[in-house]
Amino acid sequence: MSTWLPGDFVHPLRVQVTEGVHLRPISADDLEIDMPAVMGNQPMLWAKYGAQWGWPPADMSAEADREDLARHADEMVTHESFNYAILPADEGALYGCIYIDPPEDAGGATAPTAEVSWWTVADAPAGLADVLHTFVPAWLAREWPFADVVYPFGEFD
């Protein structure tokens, strides 16, 4: 396990956002819903994450996406970072993702700090982006051991 978080911390496995929308850890098994969500919104995602993460490339293959999803799932098990899928009740689509990562430079911080960002697909349910804007900080304050949360990709600009 990573030393980024307290050793006894247990990350949430399912979180209700609104009626009909929940979060859960993403996995490689989500390829069939992740690939169309990511590639169908690739220009927006590249504009947000491309410079820093180099993701998602315009020519991303299904195999590359599956490998990326598997890496995210593995990192959640070891508490290196977290990627939560934003899903409808039937999990038949991906509405977006929430990323929770350790800071690039902890700067000697003794209390956990997180860098958090999220995205939603262009055709997400009306109002979901606004709900997440309120929900995510409240959820992090309520259920996560962070002393500070930074939003480096402009969620609150």
Side-chain angles (χ1 to χ4, degrees):
M1 290 289 208
S2 169
T3 58
W4 171 48
L5 297 169
D8 61 350
F9 176 71
V10 178
H11 65 275
L13 298 179
R14 183 181 168 91
V15 181
Q16 200 67 36
V17 177
T18 64
E19 186 175 331
V21 177
H22 66 276
L23 310 176
R24 69 153 168 78
I26 203 154
S27 77
D29 292 338
D30 293 318
L31 179 66
E32 288 185 22
I33 58 173
D34 187 75
M35 190 76 182
V38 170
M39 297 314 288
N41 293 273
Q42 190 275 339
M44 177 273 295
L45 291 169
W46 185 263
K48 185 168 187 167
Y49 299 114
Q52 187 166 342
W53 293 355
W55 178 87
D59 61 350
M60 185 170 69
S61 69
E63 185 56 32
D65 192 26
R66 182 182 298 281
E67 290 171 6
D68 195 41
L69 294 171
R71 178 184 53 81
H72 283 301
D74 290 346
E75 289 173 346
M76 291 184 78
V77 170
T78 59
H79 285 182
E80 293 174 61
S81 69
F82 301 87
N83 179 344
Y84 282 89
I86 306 166
L87 302 160
D90 69 2
E91 298 196 0
L94 180 72
Y95 291 156
C97 288
I98 300 173
Y99 305 106
I100 305 170
D101 298 301
E104 289 293 319
D105 176 19
T110 56
T113 299
E115 290 186 353
V116 177
S117 67
W118 65 86
W119 59 272
T120 57
V121 295
D123 61 348
L128 181 58
D130 291 335
V131 167
L132 291 170
H133 196 263
T134 302
F135 173 84
V136 171
W139 173 53
L140 295 171
R142 185 177 62 247
E143 296 187 37
W144 292 77
F146 301 126
D148 190 30
V149 176
V150 178
Y151 300 92
F153 291 99
E155 281 75 10
F156 290 97
D157 288 348

